[in-house]
């Protein structure tokens, strides 16, 4: 590959080169090569973004335990990486760790309250196994601000349904 011969073979310690090469592989859906690149970048720099990208690639390959390992390292490297926290929330939820998933989703939203994806992740977790009433106002407000984002009113409806079910169970 031309990029490798132009950059990495000439200067393998060039900051970001391995991560950038891995991005190329990821876009081409060559996940094994992408993972190798991201892990090399992460080991060289310790960058949260590289650990997180490795986690996403591992998850794409169905390697949930390895993805969780990589995203844990991403969060350790930068506890304020909201994208890594959202990814870890989803992975934890898929593995049945509801309390961990909810904690990560809440933290990601606290770090990035203007990010609709952070709100949606938090809303999904709260609606699924937390306090759906806590997401009603933020969802309502963002749905008004972003009328083209159909996921926001959908999650708002799910939260209302969950509250209605809870009321019926009482």
């Amino acid at each position: 590959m031309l990029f490798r011969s132009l950059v990495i073979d000439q200067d393998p310690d060039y900051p970001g080169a391995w991560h950038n090469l891995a991005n190329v592989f990821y876009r081409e859906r060559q996940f094994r090569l992408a993972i190798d690149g991201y892990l090399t970048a992460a080991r060289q720099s310790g960058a949260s973004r590289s650990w997180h990208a490795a986690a996403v690639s591992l998850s794409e390959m169905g390697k949930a335990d390895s993805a969780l390992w990589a995203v844990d390292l991403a969060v350790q490297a930068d506890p304020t990486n909201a994208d890594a926290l959202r990814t870890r929330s989803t992975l934890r939820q898929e593995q049945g760790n509801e309390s961990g998933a909810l904690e990560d989703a809440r933290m990601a939203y606290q770090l990035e309250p203007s990010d609709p994806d952070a709100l949606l992740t938090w809303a999904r977790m709260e609606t699924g196994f937390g306090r759906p009433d806590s997401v009603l106002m933020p969802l309502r407000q963002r749905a008004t601000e972003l009328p083209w984002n159909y996921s926001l009113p959908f999650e708002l409806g799910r939260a209302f349904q969950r509250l209605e079910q809870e009321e019926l169970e009482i």
Side-chain angles (χ1 to χ4, degrees), residues 69-88:
W69 163 78
V71 80
D72 281 343
L73 292 171
V75 172
Q76 286 175 23
D78 181 4
T80 65
N81 183 336
D83 289 336
L85 286 163
R86 281 194 354 257
T87 298
R88 189 168 74 174

Side-chain angles (χ1 to χ4, degrees), residues 109-137:
Y109 178 70
Q110 288 172 2
L111 289 168
E112 298 286 342
S114 63
D115 181 355
D117 291 330
L119 174 56
L120 287 167
T121 301
W122 175 49
R124 286 184 192 112
M125 300 306 163
E126 289 287 1
T127 299
F129 37 82
R131 294 183 37 238
D133 59 310
S134 65
V135 297
L136 295 178
M137 290 305 293

Side-chain angles (χ1 to χ4, degrees), residues 3-17:
F3 181 83
R4 183 182 170 107
S5 65
L6 289 175
V7 179
I8 293 176
D9 290 344
Q10 291 182 21
D11 185 2
D13 296 323
Y14 180 80

Side-chain angles (χ1 to χ4, degrees), residues 14-129:
Y14 180 80
W18 282 102
H19 189 98
N20 292 339
L21 178 60
N23 283 340
V24 171
F25 289 132
Y26 182 86
R27 283 188 205 107
E28 294 175 358
R29 303 191 59 78
Q30 296 181 30
F31 298 122
R32 287 189 196 284
L33 293 171
I35 291 164
D36 289 344
Y38 291 133
L39 291 177
T40 300
R43 289 181 182 120
Q44 281 182 346
S45 68
S48 179
R49 72 185 185 108
S50 295
W51 287 116
H52 178 241
V56 171
S57 296
L58 287 159
S59 182
E60 287 279 350
M61 292 187 63
K63 299 184 178 296
D65 289 342
S66 297
L68 190 55
W69 163 78
V71 80
D72 281 343
L73 292 171
V75 172
Q76 286 175 23
D78 181 4
T80 65
N81 183 336
D83 289 336
L85 286 163
R86 281 194 354 257
T87 298
R88 189 168 74 174
S89 175
T90 301
L91 289 168
R92 284 178 160 181
Q93 186 236 350
E94 289 171 357
Q95 293 187 350
N97 181 351
E98 295 176 352
S99 63
L102 193 52
E103 178 184 334
D104 285 341
R106 285 176 179 157
M107 180 61 72
Y109 178 70
Q110 288 172 2
L111 289 168
E112 298 286 342
S114 63
D115 181 355
D117 291 330
L119 174 56
L120 287 167
T121 301
W122 175 49
R124 286 184 192 112
M125 300 306 163
E126 289 287 1
T127 299
F129 37 82

